[in-house]
Amino acid sequence: MAEGSTRDGPIPPSLLAAEEALLGLRHDPDADSRRANLALAQRGLDDGRIAAKTAGTDSRAALGIHTRIVDALALLARIEGVATPQRDDLLRVDQQLGVVEPILEILDPELLATIQERVRVSPLARQLAALRRAASGDLTPVGGPSSAGKIRSKAGREARPGAQPLAGEELERRLEELLLQDRFPPPREFVARSRVTDASLHARAELDPDGFWAEQARELHWDQPFTTVVDESNPPFYKWFGDGKLNASYNCIDRHVEAGHGERVAFHWAGEEGEYRAVTYAALSRDVQRLANALEQLGVRKGDVVGVYLPMIPEVVVAMLACARIGAPHNVVFGGFAPEAVRERMRVSQAKALITVDGARRKGKIAPVKAAVDEAMRDLRWLEHVVVVRHTGIETPMSDGRDAFYDELLAAADPDCAAEPMDSEHPLFILYSSGSTAKPKGIVHTTGGYLTGVSATHGYVFDLDPERDVFWCSADVGWITGHSYSVYGPLCNGATSVMFEGAPDYPHRAIWWELIERHGVTIFYTSPTAIRLCMKWGVQHPNAHDLSSLRLLGTEGEPINPKAWLWYHVVVGRERCPIVDTWWQTETGQIMIAPLPGLTATKPGSAAQPLPGVAADVVDEATGASVEHGQGLLVLTRPWPGMLRTLYDDDDRYVRTYWSRFGSHTYLVGDAAIRDKDGYLWIVGRIDETIKVAGQRLSPAEVESAIVAHPKVAEAAVVAQSDELTGQAIVAFVTLQGQLEGTSEIDGEIREHVADQIGELARPRRIFWTDELPRTRSGKIMRRLLRDIAEGRALGQVTKLREPRR
Ligand code: 6R9
């Protein structure tokens, strides 16, 4: 709650903060910060208690305060795994907080009854009762006077909760009410039309995982059928469908065209300035074949790496599929990375060609991409060709013999290019991702397993029906989410998707909702950061649009806080759409842990359970023993088809990073997770130093090395600070050269320098000047202390900087 009072009267700000602190407890891996959050919660509750006493027991103010206190206690009980907290649970957690005077004892009995009613009668029960009444023709609204989420029953078809957009106080109340709801079962309407409703699916896959994956793989077109499923003879170098042959671009395009779906729209593309292009499967097929031929003409051969540095335009899909067609692994670099970062990724992957653009449009401005690329690529030995898509039409320098325009190449190319069958284990792409060192990891994905993993999960996690759905994954193709669920998954499944070139606030803040309405999007998949951004902008934007086409929502990339989850559920999904919180990684290639929307009752903030065919465990950090309930390290205990095969040119690092801690059969994820009493998994966060800003993975070491490259800097350390909007933000501790004093000018210079070197996404939020970085006796930077300082938790401790803390 951002405001310090409600119409019920003044509420101490610390009591409001207590609620946030409690929510924070769910996602924080750090023991110190959990303690700090608990302390905040306790202070808030104490203040609340004093305020409650002052307010007496019979005013509106008192009701507001008491309600908050009970809500906070209920939340705490729920964090502990109590589904529907009762009075005793509240008393117990209250006592556990070390509070001297149990709050419930001072409450007016009548108020207590009202409040307990809130806790006890779950909104869910009310909804069910309402649905039952609606079904039996009795449309009288149910729920007491405090029930903001009462059934709107003007017409029979609207007789379901939240069909109308809510706003203002009504929305606030509804969100608060739902905060107490532990689980969200799939809406009946959704289940009635869902593809996956067979509760035995998990069990069947568990009995015979190989059979399960083989069945999924057979949905693809194989030029040579496979006879083996997973080859585990040389762990952790697993092979999938090893003796099969297939072509990814054939699976994404040709077979749909051959089946008569050539005129189906693959992408409704929306440009920044309102342009629209419908890209059909037939059109994709034409361009992909021509570009594949053109690349071959340029001398690109099977196995050569081709870089792709393009904005969200249809050509990026054509580029990826043309590479796949001829067996040239693509290496896509996110358009937001700076040319220097592109250079590094081209250099280490020894890319032979790069497909890029004249300029990229960014909120009404044009960034001259090609000119910057030329500057960065100047002396790359392996890079022989640069193909330039004319997108903005800006003047573009071209080097003779090296550069060619995409449209000219296509026009001159032979229109037919047969898809060459590739070995199932032929590399499909490399995608660089940040690890805990400054050197990005080249994650290698191969063909048959990856396509199986992404098409299967795209099908059942999103309950996809290509005949009726319009799917929209808002992720940029430069990230794994874009690869798997903007390109390969949807195309393999013959889906129709939306692709949007721009930012969610350009040309205006309702553009996403406008596009959903315009294209009748049925499934929308985005990140928690984007949802929080939309929350900040306000409900007036989504509420101004007809979002009734939506039937399923998804999130990925970072933990979602329950408040954002509920906002997404109520404001965007209008309480009709299940939300799939999908956990996975660049390395896993495919979604691994997620609800099945027609089957799983979801809990806000939890990614639920491993998908069918996936085996995950939470293990004790020290012993490796399985943790039945509680927190531990998340591991994957069985290979899966979409898994990475190695790190490009670095098998050792592959083994060391993922398969050494618990042996070559247990994949170390790098996340901590909690398994609750129902077996639901709650991802807590990374166990390494990796930072996630707006769901995008960054390595502190990468940012540190960019900062240190600035001539005025002597030393730097980078840590994450939690951020309400972006999940985490980058904070840098910098020691300047010699006698230099930190000024706002140098601060600006350094931040700009990082954006130049890596990209906007890495620009530090804040710089702290320090004479010396705190180190342990063995010389390790004390990052935990830096994090505490960044979070404002350890200001008094700076004098102890050079002492090891424990
Ligand atoms: C797809 C993607 C992977 C890391 C992962 C974890 C975090 C991803 C999440 C999530 C909580 C989810 N993560 N999904 N945390 N809930 N649903 O994001 O890949 O960029 O490689 O990041 O992201 O920490 O280990 P990638």
Side-chain angles (χ1 to χ4, degrees):
M1 232 41 32
E3 75 274 31
S5 71
T6 71
R7 76 191 171 101
D8 296 333
I11 293 177
S14 55
L15 179 56
L16 298 171
E19 194 178 303
E20 282 299 328
L22 287 170
L23 290 173
L25 277 175
R26 281 193 168 177
H27 297 305
D28 207 330
D30 190 299
D32 282 358
S33 90
R34 287 177 71 83
R35 261 195 296 282
N37 269 330
L38 213 54
L40 271 180
Q42 181 169 346
R43 216 189 80 201
L45 284 167
D46 284 345
D47 289 354
R49 220 158 264 125
I50 294 164
K53 269 192 168 166
T54 324
T57 50
D58 57 359
S59 68
R60 288 187 69 78
L63 176 64
I65 294 165
H66 291 153
T67 308
R68 293 268 171 185
I69 293 173
V70 175
D71 280 359
L73 295 176
L75 202 55
L76 193 62
R78 285 184 41 211
I79 289 168
E80 289 193 338
V82 181
T84 315
Q86 301 296 319
R87 188 172 196 271
D88 286 349
D89 298 310
L90 302 188
L91 277 171
R92 184 178 49 74
V93 292
D94 188 46
Q95 275 156 4
Q96 194 180 304
L97 276 176
V99 172
V100 200
E101 191 177 15
I103 179 66
L104 295 177
E105 299 306 317
I106 64 161
L107 289 182
D108 176 273
E110 217 169 284
L111 276 176
L112 182 62
T114 320
I115 293 163
Q116 281 192 298
E117 183 68 2
R118 267 178 70 112
V119 179
R120 202 170 47 77
V121 182
S122 82
L124 175 65
R126 279 205 295 266
Q127 283 172 25
L128 288 176
L131 278 173
R132 242 176 272 127
R133 280 168 186 239
S136 66
D138 174 3
L139 296 179
T140 325
V142 294
S146 74
S147 163
K150 65 189 170 206
I151 311 304
R152 266 154 212 79
S153 48
K154 276 181 274 169
R157 112 194 119 72
E158 285 172 351
R160 55 177 187 239
Q164 299 283 316
L166 297 180
E169 226 165 66
E170 220 186 346
L171 174 64
E172 282 300 311
R173 276 175 185 270
R174 183 64 183 147
L175 292 174
E176 272 184 36
E177 191 173 39
L178 289 178
L179 206 53
L180 296 174
Q181 183 169 323
D182 192 46
R183 286 166 191 251
F184 292 73
R188 206 170 46 172
E189 243 179 75
F190 183 90
V191 178
R193 303 179 60 186
S194 175
R195 243 177 81 151
V196 186
T197 49
D198 175 2
S200 70
L201 185 66
H202 280 98
R204 272 199 299 127
E206 210 42 38
L207 276 178
D208 178 15
D210 288 8
F212 172 78
W213 288 121
E215 197 183 306
Q216 306 302 320
R218 289 197 189 98
E219 297 287 316
L220 298 170
H221 171 88
W222 293 83
D223 297 290
Q224 179 179 303
F226 56 89
T227 61
T228 59
V229 180
V230 55
D231 171 357
E232 305 190 45
S233 59
N234 182 27
F237 298 94
Y238 298 95
K239 293 192 176 114
W240 282 85
F241 316 114
D243 57 350
K245 283 185 195 291
L246 76 172
N247 183 289
S249 94
Y250 183 90
N251 273 284
C252 288
I253 313 172
D254 305 50
R255 66 179 170 137
H256 306 311
V257 176
E258 286 166 16
H261 303 309
E263 291 317 306
R264 182 182 291 171
V265 172
F267 293 101
H268 292 293
W269 178 79
E272 258 205 12
E273 302 299 336
E275 303 90 336
Y276 170 70
R277 275 160 73 185
V279 182
T280 61
Y281 278 89
L284 267 185
S285 166
R286 281 191 293 271
D287 287 0
V288 167
Q289 295 194 61
R290 283 178 182 270
L291 183 62
N293 280 329
L295 289 173
E296 283 198 318
Q297 279 283 302
L298 292 176
V300 175
R301 297 283 169 266
K302 184 171 168 179
D304 289 340
V305 173
V306 175
V308 176
Y309 181 47
L310 286 170
M312 288 292 276
I313 52 178
E315 288 80 357
V316 74
V317 179
V318 175
M320 291 163 81
L321 294 179
C323 290
R325 200 158 187 93
I326 60 174
H330 53 70
N331 174 5
V332 180
V333 182
F334 169 54
F337 272 120
E340 279 304 322
V342 186
R343 175 196 163 79
E344 180 59 13
R345 284 154 176 76
M346 293 304 115
R347 190 183 66 78
V348 291
S349 66
Q350 302 165 334
K352 188 162 185 180
L354 173 66
I355 305 175
T356 187
V357 71
D358 54 357
R361 304 197 290 187
R362 308 221 165 107
K363 299 197 196 184
K365 298 202 186 90
I366 292 179
V369 175
K370 171 62 168 50
V373 162
D374 280 349
E375 174 65 23
M377 303 299 153
R378 50 213 177 263
D379 53 352
L380 276 189
R381 202 150 53 95
W382 305 93
L383 193 74
E384 291 174 13
H385 298 283
V386 177
V387 175
V388 184
V389 175
R390 272 191 266 232
H391 177 51
T392 56
I394 55 167
E395 193 67 38
T396 303
M398 297 291 277
S399 300
D400 266 358
R402 190 194 69 172
D403 301 353
F405 283 113
Y406 171 95
D407 53 311
E408 290 172 9
L409 286 179
L410 254 61
D414 196 321
D416 301 312
C417 174
E420 188 192 332
M422 302 287 158
D423 288 339
S424 177
E425 283 296 342
H426 185 75
L428 180 60
F429 65 86
I430 308 171
L431 182 59
Y432 281 85
S433 178
S434 297
S436 43
T437 70
K439 193 178 161 222
K441 302 185 282 198
I443 312 271
V444 176
H445 283 287
T446 60
T447 310
Y450 174 79
L451 289 185
T452 301
V454 298
S455 58
T457 51
H458 180 255
Y460 53 74
V461 173
F462 297 109
D463 190 47
L464 185 92
D465 174 351
E467 302 286 336
R468 100 185 157 194
D469 283 316
V470 177
F471 179 78
W472 185 9
C473 163
S474 74
D476 191 281
V477 279
W479 304 107
I480 191 65
T481 310
H483 279 61
S484 301
Y485 300 104
S486 296
V487 180
Y488 286 109
L491 292 180
C492 259
N493 289 333
T496 296
S497 297
V498 167
M499 180 190 253
F500 177 46
E501 179 186 17
D505 58 347
Y506 188 85
H508 52 76
R509 290 178 169 178
I511 183 68
W512 275 12
W513 320 117
E514 191 179 302
L515 290 171
I516 289 176
E517 178 175 352
R518 182 177 315 150
H519 298 295
V521 172
T522 57
I523 306 165
F524 184 54
Y525 187 35
T526 193
S527 70
T529 291
I531 296 165
R532 290 188 291 259
L533 201 59
C534 295
M535 277 171 81
K536 200 173 111 178
W537 292 337
V539 291
Q540 68 275 22
H541 303 297
N543 280 358
H545 290 275
D546 177 3
L547 305 180
S548 60
S549 58
L550 287 171
R551 62 181 196 94
L552 177 61
L553 301 172
T555 72
E556 56 83 30
E558 46 178 327
I560 182 161
N561 47 315
K563 278 196 173 172
W565 194 102
L566 290 172
W567 190 90
Y568 199 29
H569 174 65
V570 174
V571 176
V572 181
R574 311 253 157 103
E575 300 188 40
R576 290 179 294 103
C577 310
I579 297 180
V580 286
D581 176 348
T582 63
W583 177 89
W584 59 298
Q585 307 179 299
T586 309
E587 289 87 340
T588 68
Q590 61 181 84
I591 297 170
M592 301 295 282
I593 303 175
L596 290 178
L599 273 177
T600 317
T602 53
K603 301 188 186 186
S606 165
Q609 281 148 359
L611 289 175
V614 171
D617 201 359
V618 175
V619 300
D620 184 272
E621 194 169 345
T623 63
S626 189
V627 175
E628 203 184 336
H629 306 306
Q631 184 166 332
L633 302 182
L634 183 64
V635 292
L636 300 168
T637 51
R638 184 195 298 141
W640 63 101
M643 66 195 297
L644 80 166
R645 298 302 193 264
T646 189
L647 295 178
Y648 186 75
D649 217 12
D650 205 345
D651 286 349
D652 285 350
R653 191 177 177 194
Y654 168 67
V655 177
R656 226 175 33 243
T657 312
Y658 307 106
W659 305 96
S660 59
R661 184 134 176 193
F662 302 112
S664 55
H665 292 279
T666 305
Y667 170 87
L668 181 71
V669 159
D671 286 350
I674 294 169
R675 181 159 38 205
D676 74 12
K677 295 194 181 80
D678 304 316
Y680 279 54
L681 296 168
W682 301 75
I683 309 300
V684 171
R686 300 286 308 176
I687 54 168
D688 56 17
E689 304 296 342
T690 312
I691 301 177
K692 274 243 159 172
V693 181
Q696 297 168 351
R697 211 157 131 182
L698 284 166
S699 143
E702 219 172 333
V703 185
E704 282 160 10
S705 86
I707 297 178
V708 174
H710 188 281
K712 291 180 184 156
V713 173
E715 219 190 0
V718 161
V719 295
Q721 177 188 30
S722 49
D723 183 274
E724 232 176 72
L725 190 64
T726 57
Q728 294 189 315
I730 291 178
V731 174
F733 290 79
V734 174
T735 310
L736 293 173
Q737 294 280 6
Q739 300 304 308
L740 281 176
E741 289 283 329
T743 61
S744 61
E745 203 187 343
I746 305 183
D747 177 290
E749 270 177 35
I750 293 175
R751 290 171 353 108
E752 193 61 33
H753 174 75
V754 174
D756 262 12
Q757 292 286 304
I758 304 178
E760 269 312 319
L761 70 165
R763 186 194 286 269
R765 165 77 48 90
R766 195 165 163 205
I767 293 179
F768 286 87
W769 307 114
T770 145
D771 293 341
E772 204 177 330
L773 291 171
R775 291 180 189 277
T776 60
R777 290 210 173 96
S778 63
K780 261 186 89 176
I781 294 176
M782 294 160 69
R783 288 177 190 277
R784 183 189 292 258
L785 176 56
L786 294 181
R787 276 199 297 270
D788 284 349
I789 296 172
E791 303 276 10
R793 287 193 298 255
L795 283 178
Q797 302 183 18
V798 190
T799 47
K800 294 189 206 151
L801 278 190
R802 261 152 251 150
E803 291 289 314
R805 286 214 308 159
R806 62 193 81 206

